[in-house]
Amino acid sequence: MAEAAPQVPKTMSAMLLTGHGDVDKLQYRQDVITPRPRPGEVLVQVTATAKNNTDRKAREGLYPTKGKEEVTSFAMGGSPTLTFPRIQGADIAGRVAAVGEGVDASRIGERGLLDFNIYADERRDINLTPDYYGHGADGGYADFVVVPADQFHHVSNPELHDAELAAMGMCSYQTAYHMMTSASVSAGERVLVTGASGGVGTALIQLCRIVGAIPYAVSQLDKADALMGLGAEAVIDRGDLSTFVERVLATTDGKPIDAVMDLVGGQMTDLFIDTMIVDMQGRNSYPRLSIAGASGGNISEIMWTRIYLYQVQIFGVSHGTREEAEQLIEWICSGALKPVLHAAFKLSDLHNAERYFVNRGSNYLGKIVIVPDAQWETHGAPFALTTD
């Protein structure tokens, strides 16, 4: 039997996704049965959950794999695992409220961060059929969530607020790190980071510096100070596409980019490749493109002769591995990685948070987090969105 703390209620508040569609498919309920941990699991009282673009894409059914007009759920393991109703939210911070059989009761009260993956097996070095909490199982847009005990990692860094901890969640940071490890990014290499002001982009900038690589950020110039404060060597505005490659090379003193971390796709992909193949002499490694997003469009036109003649290596990235998650937790605990938290919203206000996320303006940088209403005063109010 599970050992439960006395404060665990029979019902809880949660935001239920009831089907594919707009935000009206998200229904706030206050009578959802509180889950109970099974053997090897912990019940986590959620204090903050970061918002990710995958929440919106899963809700709208925007993971086509055959035709560009296809509406589908993420289903890399075979059949779709997104069933309704579903509680979304992958990047969960909170405290252990109860433990299942086989889990040490001393963990009750422990603060931690979830490795959001639903792993198909125990392998630590590979993850071929990625699924995640908030999609294939209920996530953190609720007062409580049940997760595997060994994937809820204790974070001992007392300087991090819970909302900041959620902003460093694995959906962004592990994806960013897997983009780099897939492409074998190493010290001294020049790395172009696209979509640099978002959660994965800001993570990439910091992670490049940790491994000794030199990140060049593609973003709006009014975010240059903030991005350079995170470690960007320079910030290049997308601007006029006809001069984009020239402007990138101007920031590198004419030296080619070694690897591109692409979150944009669309018509930009070919230009990103151009920044790597302008001069192949004197290179120490192949040009590499890691792609983990398509915010600029799901279809790119590329001449394959350019790919094979210039030996461009392309890596599709989705999620990451247990090993990478554990390394990230070490860096979070040590303070090597810093949170980039934009704002917090109440769980009951998720509709507005979703709209804000889609229509975010030029001042947006990093992550927004969703805080259960019962936790708002402690963990959300200090980071509430301001209009100043």
Side-chain angles (χ1 to χ4, degrees), residues 335-372:
L337 286 171
K338 305 296 183 184
V340 187
L341 173 59
H342 180 71
F345 287 79
K346 285 184 179 180
L347 177 60
S348 61
D349 198 30
L350 184 59
H351 285 194
N352 284 331
E354 292 276 357
R355 295 187 185 99
Y356 180 83
F357 184 82
V358 171
N359 300 307
R360 55 195 185 272
S362 61
N363 69 331
Y364 186 93
L365 186 75
K367 304 289 287 186
I368 62 174
V369 300
I370 309 302
V371 176

Side-chain angles (χ1 to χ4, degrees), residues 129-149:
T129 56
D131 201 351
Y132 60 96
Y133 284 87
H135 183 275
D138 285 339
Y141 290 162
D143 289 331
F144 295 91
V145 64
V146 164
V147 298

Side-chain angles (χ1 to χ4, degrees), residues 53-127:
N53 196 40
T54 190
D55 298 326
R56 176 189 65 84
K57 294 182 74 173
R59 168 171 54 80
E60 296 181 1
L62 298 181
Y63 283 113
T65 56
K66 295 182 180 179
K68 62 183 180 179
E69 303 301 326
E70 179 188 12
V71 176
T72 186
S73 297
F74 187 75
M76 295 305 294
S79 59
T81 59
L82 176 59
T83 57
F84 306 110
R86 173 66 77 218
I87 299 172
Q88 292 187 292
D91 286 335
I92 302 166
R95 287 164 174 77
V96 176
V99 299
E101 182 180 348
V103 181
D104 194 331
S106 67
R107 292 197 62 181
I108 293 176
E110 179 182 287
R111 184 180 77 150
L113 180 67
L114 177 69
D115 172 359
F116 77 124
N117 288 282
I118 298 175
Y119 294 105
D121 53 45
E122 296 300 318
R123 289 192 62 171
R124 294 169 44 77
D125 61 334
I126 197 168
N127 182 12

Side-chain angles (χ1 to χ4, degrees), residues 176-192:
Y177 191 37
H178 194 51
M179 293 177 78
M180 292 170 57
T181 59
S182 296
S184 300
V185 170
S186 60
E189 292 193 310
R190 293 173 294 276
V191 180
L192 190 67

Side-chain angles (χ1 to χ4, degrees), residues 287-321:
R288 285 147 288 150
L289 173 72
S290 278
I291 185 162
S295 62
N298 206 33
I299 304 295
S300 300
E301 186 175 286
I302 301 173
M303 291 179 63
W304 286 110
T305 48
R306 293 188 344 125
I307 300 301
Y308 68 75
L309 290 176
Y310 288 102
Q311 302 185 82
V312 178
Q313 298 180 336
I314 300 177
F315 303 91
V317 172
S318 179
H319 302 196
T321 69

Side-chain angles (χ1 to χ4, degrees), residues 177-320:
Y177 191 37
H178 194 51
M179 293 177 78
M180 292 170 57
T181 59
S182 296
S184 300
V185 170
S186 60
E189 292 193 310
R190 293 173 294 276
V191 180
L192 190 67
V193 177
T194 76
S197 65
V200 180
T202 54
L204 279 165
I205 291 170
Q206 294 187 66
L207 289 165
C208 279
R209 288 302 184 182
I210 285 177
V211 304
I214 307 167
Y216 293 85
V218 179
S219 186
Q220 295 167 308
L221 294 182
D222 57 5
K223 300 178 183 179
D225 288 345
L227 293 174
M228 292 178 73
L230 288 175
E233 185 76 5
V235 177
I236 304 106
D237 184 63
R238 173 178 171 172
D240 180 1
L241 296 187
S242 68
T243 64
F244 177 78
V245 176
E246 177 183 334
R247 288 183 285 110
V248 170
L249 296 177
T251 67
T252 65
D253 295 325
K255 297 176 181 177
I257 293 294
D258 294 298
V260 174
M261 304 292 108
D262 186 14
L263 302 163
V264 176
Q267 63 180 325
M268 295 293 291
T269 302
D270 213 35
L271 297 176
F272 298 149
I273 293 171
D274 279 339
T275 67
M276 296 189 288
I277 64 175
V278 288
D279 183 4
M280 297 297 289
Q281 294 183 358
R283 292 186 66 110
N284 295 317
S285 60
Y286 295 111
R288 285 147 288 150
L289 173 72
S290 278
I291 185 162
S295 62
N298 206 33
I299 304 295
S300 300
E301 186 175 286
I302 301 173
M303 291 179 63
W304 286 110
T305 48
R306 293 188 344 125
I307 300 301
Y308 68 75
L309 290 176
Y310 288 102
Q311 302 185 82
V312 178
Q313 298 180 336
I314 300 177
F315 303 91
V317 172
S318 179
H319 302 196

Side-chain angles (χ1 to χ4, degrees), residues 8-18 27-36 43 85-88 138-139 141-145 347:
V8 177
K10 292 182 178 179
T11 60
M12 65 176 185
S13 296
M15 187 69 73
L16 301 182
L17 177 64
T18 59
Q27 297 182 7
Y28 186 63
R29 297 275 298 274
Q30 295 177 286
D31 59 352
V32 177
I33 300 297
T34 304
R36 291 291 185 265
L43 176 71
R86 173 66 77 218
I87 299 172
Q88 292 187 292
D138 285 339
Y141 290 162
D143 289 331
F144 295 91
V145 64
L347 177 60

